[in-house]
Amino acid sequence: MMHHRLLLPAFFALLLLTACSTQQNTWLSRHYQEMNTRFNVHFNGEQAYIQGIEQLNAGFNEDFSKILPMYQVSNHSSAKATSPSMERAIQKCQKAIKTHSIRVKPKKKPSPKSSEEAKRFYSQEEFNPFMDNVFMLMANAQFTKADFLSASATCSYIIRHFSTDKKRCDQAGILQARAYTELEWYYEAENILNNLNKENLTPSLTAEFAAATADLLIRRKKYAEALPYLEVASRKIHNKREKERWSYLLGQLYQETGKRDNAYQLFSAIPAMNPPYEMELSARIRQSEVFPGTDPKKPLKKLIRLSKSSKNTEYLDQVYYAMGNLYFAAKDTVKALESLNLSLLKAVKSGPHKLKTLLALGDFYYRNERYMEAGPCYNQAITLLNKEDERFAVANERFNILKELAPPLKTIFVEDSLQAVAKMPEKERLELITKLMKAAEKKAKEEARLKAAQETAAANENEQADNANPNNTTNPMTADLSMDKSWYFYNPATVDKGMKDFRRKWGKRALNDDWRRNRKTPLFENMTVVQKTDSVMIKSIGVTGKSTTTDSIRDLSEGADDPTNLNYYLKNLPFTKEQLEASGNKIAEGLYQSGQAFREQLGNNKLALQQFNRLEKDYPQSAFLENTWYIEYLIYKQLKQEASADSARAKLLRTYPAKPWANRLMNPHYMEKLIEMYQVQDTLYAKTYHDYLKHQSDSLFNRSNYAKTNYPSSNLLPKYLFLEAMEYARTGHPEDFHHNLIVLRDSLPESSYLKELKPVVTGMLAYWDEGRRPVPSAGYTNLLSAKDVQLVDSLALLDSLANSFAFMPEEPHFVLMAYDSSRIRINRLQFDVALYNFTNFLVRDYDLSLSKIGKLDVLLVSGFENALDAVRYRSWIQFLGQKPEEKYNGLQLFIVSESNLKLLEEGVPIDRYERFFNEKYSDINPNP
């Protein structure tokens, strides 16, 4: 059957053949045959393309829990699966181009008096009027199979060689912009779309243009800007499938931008479009998330009906999730939580819908400070989240916080519960334990029943397999005569069959006496009489029948791991004074640790103070009160509650007068001094180091003593002590030198500066232990004997060099690429940089060199006249659309002036230059 696109040309050709002379008929006949062949080639390619599109639609699974992609091609793995069909389409297009392209211009040129139409006809490069369709089909096929670079190149060819056809050029431009968007070359895509919009876009392509623009903005998360374009695209598109998807996506964008009413109306309209069932159900669920009122009776009725439908069995988790949202809207928290927990229970698989439920529950518990319940939710959710998911950062942060907070909170909860049960009247306590034991016994029976059923099913399968293959089973009456049949159980086949029959009837049993009983441990240890009622049963517990303290139980360790045994519940109850004291110590520690976590991890001073106040009230002798009162002092100072801060300070000074925190708070203006310390400590140390370089001993010791007296919590104290030690060594005070080194090694709390100093200090002390002593000197390098010149104040020297960094933007600059040689192949990096330079800078010639700067391996790009030149290069460089830091994990790019590079080469760590770099170079605009 001839395709409908062939009917019109064929019809006109027949008319021409009928109306023309014999000679003309011969020419037209040949032309018609060639035209028919050309159309058939294109038709076959188009059919292959349509088949590939159908494959893409069939193999694409939407994830309605996330923002839908604008196009299905955006799932590149699904798009690449269409390659066989698309390759066939491309081959047909290439064949049509090769055999039917007409590039020869007419012999007769238009004269100056010819019409504009004639001149335009002569100026075109392709004279086959159908060839633009062939090229466009090839570009679409390349695009659909995710070969975006080839599609972009074909579109560029169409724009250059079919420039007289405005509509076709606009169509190719839109497709090229989409290809750039898929490659994440957003800047190039935006330029193309902006130019198309300025040049009177072909009206019939409005929907395609709006959709491409919306796609670009959505990928850049500019949802508010994308809304008007998506509204136009979804209104003007005629393809039913695309209209449904884009309408759903529009509702999602309304939801993301806070337009809940618009989102609710759109999600309500989607079921009427008769979309696929999963989209319809997802729209109803989205409705529940943006429900605008507080009386959700009507949508709840619909969801209840859905929950009772058999076709929704695998979607029940989504239905209950939606019901939970509506109950939240109605302020019915109890039913909302019931529904969300039912959603987790009914989840058939761990996927995006279960993830949404876990995050919804976790967020609710977290917001309402129910952290012990929030922890398990985030614990499960984090295993289902990809690191690229925008929800991962928040969920992971909360998971890590709760991981530290959960243990102390659990300790408090458990110990409080145990103490409460231990303080109960005996009868109430035993009634509670009996209920727990019955529940455990019921659970154990259910588990045993399920296990027996599974084993029976397995045995039946084995028996059916044996019956299907009778050669594998030996009847004892017809056993091989060569086998020893002196006893029945000598036949292994008979034994195997008997064991299968036994398991099928009784389940798997241990080889021991009384095998018919599932559990042989008595329900209650030392039970004297078995009574029918629970109350009488409880009275019969114990030796005396009057008490359940540890004295009345013969052996609490027996059955202590069995939830159906009384000892399981009695073993941890704190009955004695010693047990209560141990339990209280655990609670005190939990209160202190949770208070710290509330303040430091959550920044929640209210909850921290609650924990600390209970610690002080219930456990006034706790050793944790020293740190508690100091933290309370800081909190109240932060909250500007001076009276409470003074009270905490007074309690600390009164109770722990000789402790370090009390020593710090002796000064009533401690907090003001602390703030002052952070403002002046760097300047003060720089001046002290200057005194050291100038050999001004008195000034050095005065400044150092001032810092130690007024700023005892400064993390720069190790550096002051080290400078003092060096000055003692230079001026001939070896014992003082040694004392400072001992303090540095043993007494100071750890800090980043102390870690850097420790190798030098350890080396100096090793020489001291060998009997060597520092040699007095007028300089500041020869501190030990001549052999030990290497041990100098390296850290202070580096600080001095780091303070010498200067911002001179007019100097020649370098781009420094620091890489980890164990992870990055330098040959590949060097090739990519050279290729980028060669293809983008035809006039400038940037030199590449490998170097070692300090401990860093670097690729140095040189030849930049000034800072602006280097900043532009750093901001523009990319390898096929990828930033260098994205392609090479761990790569760092810095801009370094000629003078600062010399300082780095002298050994200043790159992290110290990084602070200078971020401060000075961030204000340079690469596109002024």
Side-chain angles (χ1 to χ4, degrees):
M1 182 182 292
M2 186 176 293
H3 191 260
H4 68 278
R5 294 181 109 182
L6 303 180
L7 293 178
L8 191 60
F11 174 72
F12 283 113
L14 287 172
L15 287 179
L16 287 170
L17 285 170
T18 304
C20 296
S21 63
T22 304
Q23 184 178 1
Q24 289 173 324
N25 281 347
T26 303
W27 180 85
L28 285 172
S29 177
R30 287 199 308 271
H31 181 72
Y32 171 71
Q33 289 174 3
E34 180 184 349
M35 182 176 63
N36 194 39
T37 302
R38 181 171 69 245
F39 278 107
N40 281 335
V41 173
H42 177 271
F43 171 76
N44 292 335
E46 190 175 44
Q47 290 303 302
Y49 174 77
I50 293 171
Q51 183 181 1
I53 293 294
E54 290 173 352
Q55 290 173 352
L56 178 62
N57 293 337
F60 187 78
N61 293 321
E62 300 281 12
D63 182 359
F64 293 101
S65 66
K66 297 180 181 178
I67 298 291
L68 292 185
M70 195 77 191
Y71 303 100
Q72 293 173 329
V73 176
S74 297
N75 186 328
H76 296 174
S77 59
S78 297
K80 288 175 181 177
T82 67
S83 290
S85 297
M86 294 304 164
E87 282 295 339
R88 176 173 169 78
I90 293 168
Q91 289 171 6
K92 293 296 180 182
C93 291
Q94 290 171 341
K95 180 179 178 182
I97 294 167
K98 183 177 180 180
T99 56
H100 301 294
S101 176
I102 304 174
R103 313 268 305 173
V104 179
K105 292 181 180 293
K107 293 181 180 180
K108 184 178 179 182
K109 297 182 181 179
S111 65
K113 297 181 179 180
S114 300
S115 64
E116 289 299 322
E117 185 177 355
K119 292 178 182 178
R120 190 163 53 251
F121 175 79
Y122 186 84
S123 65
Q124 66 186 4
E125 297 181 32
E126 177 62 61
F127 291 91
N128 185 335
F130 197 73
M131 201 51 62
D132 60 331
N133 294 313
V134 176
F135 275 101
M136 202 66 216
L137 176 62
M138 184 166 71
N140 278 306
Q142 291 166 338
F143 181 86
T144 306
K145 79 181 187 84
D147 186 0
F148 303 116
L149 288 173
S150 298
S152 172
T154 306
C155 289
S156 295
Y157 182 90
I158 293 171
I159 294 169
R160 288 197 309 273
H161 296 281
F162 295 91
S163 57
T164 56
D165 189 341
K166 176 79 167 58
K167 179 179 179 180
R168 186 62 73 194
C169 289
D170 288 350
Q171 193 176 11
I174 293 171
L175 186 61
Q176 187 177 34
R178 286 181 57 194
Y180 286 153
T181 301
E182 295 294 340
L183 291 168
E184 297 185 0
W185 297 2
Y186 299 139
Y187 179 78
E188 291 82 355
E190 186 177 12
N191 274 344
I192 292 174
L193 293 173
N194 286 340
N195 290 334
L196 285 172
N197 202 24
K198 292 175 184 176
E199 298 175 0
N200 298 322
L201 180 74
T202 306
S204 60
L205 299 177
T206 301
E208 291 182 38
F209 173 82
T213 307
D215 182 36
L216 173 63
L217 293 170
I218 290 169
R219 285 170 178 269
R220 300 172 79 175
K221 301 190 183 305
K222 297 181 178 181
Y223 298 138
E225 296 178 36
L227 274 175
Y229 292 100
L230 187 54
E231 287 169 348
V232 171
S234 60
R235 186 171 62 249
K236 289 184 173 291
I237 192 69
H238 297 297
N239 182 290
K240 181 179 182 297
R241 187 185 184 95
E242 294 297 327
K243 192 175 188 67
E244 293 165 357
R245 291 183 71 257
W246 291 355
S247 297
Y248 187 94
L249 175 57
L250 183 58
Q252 288 180 306
L253 295 196
Y254 282 139
Q255 184 178 359
E256 289 290 325
T257 53
K259 298 182 177 181
R260 296 172 64 88
D261 291 341
N262 291 2
Y264 185 80
Q265 292 173 7
L266 198 51
F267 288 132
S268 302
I270 284 176
M273 298 179 182
N274 194 27
Y277 183 69
E278 193 171 354
M279 179 182 285
E280 178 185 343
L281 183 63
S282 297
R284 294 189 186 280
I285 292 166
R286 288 274 181 177
Q287 272 184 275
S288 71
E289 294 176 349
V290 293
F291 184 75
T294 57
D295 184 18
K297 290 181 181 178
K298 188 175 179 181
L300 267 174
K301 285 181 180 179
K302 291 181 181 178
L303 291 173
I304 291 171
R305 284 200 300 271
L306 288 174
S307 68
K308 295 178 180 179
S309 173
S310 58
K311 72 175 183 178
N312 290 324
T313 304
E314 60 179 306
Y315 302 118
L316 281 178
D317 57 336
Q318 300 180 53
V319 174
Y320 283 116
Y321 167 77
M323 291 169 66
N325 290 329
L326 292 176
Y327 282 126
F328 274 132
K331 310 297 182 186
D332 191 343
T333 304
V334 175
K335 287 187 176 179
L337 294 177
E338 287 178 1
S339 298
L340 291 180
N341 281 296
L342 267 174
S343 174
L344 291 180
L345 188 64
K346 298 293 183 181
V348 179
K349 54 186 177 180
S350 296
H353 301 296
K354 183 176 182 179
L355 174 62
K356 286 182 71 172
T357 305
L358 287 168
L359 290 176
L361 269 174
D363 291 347
F364 173 80
Y365 290 137
Y366 195 89
R367 287 195 310 271
N368 290 275
E369 299 175 353
R370 295 166 62 173
Y371 298 115
M372 285 186 65
E373 295 163 288
C377 296
Y378 287 115
N379 191 15
Q380 290 186 64
I382 207 73
T383 62
L384 302 176
L385 275 168
N386 294 322
K387 290 186 177 180
E388 294 76 20
D389 195 310
E390 58 188 11
R391 298 169 293 180
F392 178 82
V394 174
N396 189 51
E397 180 186 9
R398 292 182 176 180
F399 166 73
N400 289 324
I401 290 172
L402 296 176
K403 188 168 62 173
E404 293 188 24
L405 186 59
L409 290 180
K410 184 178 179 181
T411 299
I412 296 169
F413 176 78
V414 170
E415 296 301 326
D416 279 342
S417 302
L418 291 173
Q419 289 188 20
V421 173
K423 291 175 183 176
M424 281 182 176
E426 182 179 351
K427 183 177 179 180
E428 292 180 17
R429 178 168 64 247
L430 290 174
E431 286 176 353
L432 173 64
I433 294 175
T434 302
K435 289 179 182 178
L436 295 174
M437 291 164 64
K438 285 184 175 181
E441 187 174 14
K442 183 179 179 181
K443 182 180 178 182
K445 286 181 178 179
E446 181 63 22
E447 290 176 352
R449 186 188 66 78
L450 290 173
K451 185 177 180 181
Q454 292 170 357
E455 290 177 350
T456 301
N460 289 335
E461 290 177 4
N462 291 336
E463 185 176 3
Q464 290 172 4
D466 291 342
N467 293 335
N469 189 6
N471 294 328
N472 290 342
T473 304
T474 305
N475 190 304
M477 301 301 295
T478 60
D480 190 347
L481 295 176
S482 64
M483 296 180 63
D484 183 359
K485 294 180 290 183
S486 59
W487 191 38
Y488 180 87
F489 289 102
Y490 283 173
N491 189 329
T494 305
V495 172
D496 184 61
K497 186 176 185 303
M499 290 178 68
K500 289 176 181 176
D501 291 340
F502 179 87
R503 290 195 190 101
R504 184 171 64 251
K505 185 175 182 179
W506 298 102
K508 190 174 182 179
R509 304 283 176 148
L511 185 60
N512 53 27
D513 294 336
D514 230 1
W515 54 265
R516 287 183 178 83
R517 294 178 60 188
N518 267 324
R519 183 173 53 81
K520 288 169 263 314
T521 305
L523 194 61
F524 300 107
E525 199 69 34
N526 301 322
M527 184 178 290
T528 57
V529 183
V530 178
Q531 302 289 347
K532 291 183 180 180
T533 62
D534 290 340
S535 59
V536 179
M537 183 189 300
I538 292 167
K539 292 178 183 178
S540 65
I541 298 174
V543 176
T544 63
K546 294 180 180 180
S547 175
T548 57
T549 64
T550 55
D551 293 335
S552 66
I553 302 298
R554 290 179 179 175
D555 186 4
L556 280 175
S557 63
E558 186 175 349
D561 296 327
D562 182 4
T564 62
N565 191 289
L566 181 65
N567 290 349
Y568 178 83
Y569 303 95
L570 295 179
K571 64 180 179 181
N572 292 323
L573 292 180
F575 290 114
T576 66
K577 181 180 178 181
E578 292 77 12
Q579 289 172 334
L580 278 170
E581 185 177 349
S583 176
N585 290 338
K586 291 179 183 178
I587 294 175
E589 184 177 2
L591 289 169
Y592 172 70
Q593 290 177 348
S594 59
Q596 270 193 317
F598 281 135
R599 171 171 168 75
E600 295 173 6
Q601 303 295 329
L602 289 172
N604 192 325
N605 288 329
K606 183 191 75 171
L607 291 180
L609 289 172
Q610 283 180 7
Q611 302 297 85
F612 292 150
N613 289 337
R614 184 190 166 189
L615 173 62
E616 182 179 356
K617 178 183 176 182
D618 294 351
Y619 306 98
Q621 304 302 320
S622 173
F624 294 104
L625 285 176
E626 179 193 354
N627 291 346
T628 297
W629 284 327
Y630 177 73
I631 298 172
E632 281 186 355
Y633 172 79
L634 297 179
I635 291 175
Y636 287 129
K637 276 288 188 179
Q638 181 182 349
L639 297 175
K640 297 183 179 179
Q641 298 179 13
E642 298 298 334
S644 298
D646 290 341
S647 174
R649 175 175 171 273
K651 285 183 284 190
L652 181 59
L653 294 177
R654 183 174 60 252
T655 312
Y656 301 100
K659 295 288 185 176
W661 293 127
N663 289 333
R664 293 186 182 185
L665 295 187
M666 284 290 185
N667 186 345
H669 303 295
Y670 170 74
M671 186 60 68
E672 290 75 10
K673 282 289 182 183
L674 195 63
I675 295 171
E676 177 187 311
M677 178 192 77
Y678 288 115
Q679 294 174 342
V680 306
Q681 65 175 350
D682 291 333
T683 303
L684 181 61
Y685 174 73
K687 291 178 179 178
T688 308
Y689 180 67
H690 180 77
D691 294 336
Y692 167 71
L693 294 178
K694 298 296 183 182
H695 304 161
Q696 297 173 354
S697 298
D698 292 341
S699 181
L700 182 154
F701 286 113
N702 287 336
R703 293 187 199 276
S704 180
N705 289 331
Y706 179 85
K708 289 186 289 184
T709 302
N710 290 277
Y711 312 130
S713 59
S714 173
N715 60 356
L716 296 178
L717 284 185
K719 299 171 74 173
Y720 283 108
L721 283 172
F722 191 77
L723 285 183
E724 287 184 356
M726 296 300 100
E727 190 64 14
Y728 283 136
R730 187 185 67 81
T731 56
H733 296 81
E735 296 300 328
D736 293 324
F737 164 78
H738 181 253
H739 174 266
N740 274 30
L741 294 184
I742 293 294
V743 172
L744 278 169
R745 186 189 67 184
D746 299 334
S747 303
L748 290 182
E750 286 289 336
S751 71
S752 58
Y753 294 110
L754 188 57
K755 288 178 182 177
E756 293 177 12
L757 279 170
K758 270 196 170 180
V760 178
V761 171
T762 303
M764 289 182 174
L765 287 173
Y767 284 120
W768 179 278
D769 293 339
E770 292 175 4
R772 302 178 185 180
R773 297 295 181 263
V775 179
S777 169
Y780 53 82
T781 54
N782 192 15
L783 299 179
L784 301 177
S785 60
K787 184 179 178 180
D788 311 315
V789 161
Q790 300 297 328
L791 291 172
V792 297
D793 185 5
S794 58
L795 182 64
L797 180 60
L798 293 180
D799 283 341
S800 176
L801 292 174
N803 292 333
S804 301
F805 286 133
F807 179 58
M808 291 180 281
E810 301 307 319
E811 262 194 359
H813 274 65
F814 303 84
V815 171
L816 185 152
M817 299 185 182
Y819 64 91
D820 183 351
S821 57
S822 64
R823 291 193 294 173
I824 294 176
R825 294 172 56 192
I826 184 55
N827 291 339
R828 186 65 201 172
L829 173 62
Q830 198 171 9
F831 172 80
D832 282 339
V833 176
L835 180 63
Y836 173 78
N837 292 346
F838 177 75
T839 55
N840 291 274
F841 303 99
L842 301 180
V843 178
R844 301 292 297 273
D845 184 18
Y846 296 119
D847 292 327
L848 304 181
S849 60
L850 297 176
S851 181
K852 189 86 171 178
I853 297 181
K855 296 181 180 179
L856 287 178
D857 294 308
V858 300
L859 174 63
L860 209 60
V861 187
S862 55
F864 302 99
E865 295 179 356
N866 50 46
L868 179 59
D869 195 12
V871 167
R872 284 174 177 167
Y873 182 90
R874 182 179 184 268
S875 64
W876 292 347
I877 185 172
Q878 58 183 6
F879 308 142
L880 293 178
Q882 271 189 298
K883 285 291 184 182
E885 299 95 325
E886 296 172 358
K887 183 171 183 180
Y888 295 100
N889 188 25
L891 186 70
Q892 292 180 287
L893 269 67
F894 298 102
I895 295 164
V896 188
S897 66
E898 193 171 34
S899 55
N900 288 339
L901 182 62
K902 294 178 181 178
L903 295 175
L904 289 175
E905 289 172 342
E906 289 185 39
V908 179
I910 194 68
D911 58 336
R912 303 201 180 181
Y913 177 75
E914 187 175 1
R915 291 194 289 269
F916 170 84
F917 169 76
N918 291 332
E919 178 184 350
K920 299 297 183 182
Y921 286 85
S922 59
D923 295 334
I924 299 179
N925 182 8
N927 301 301

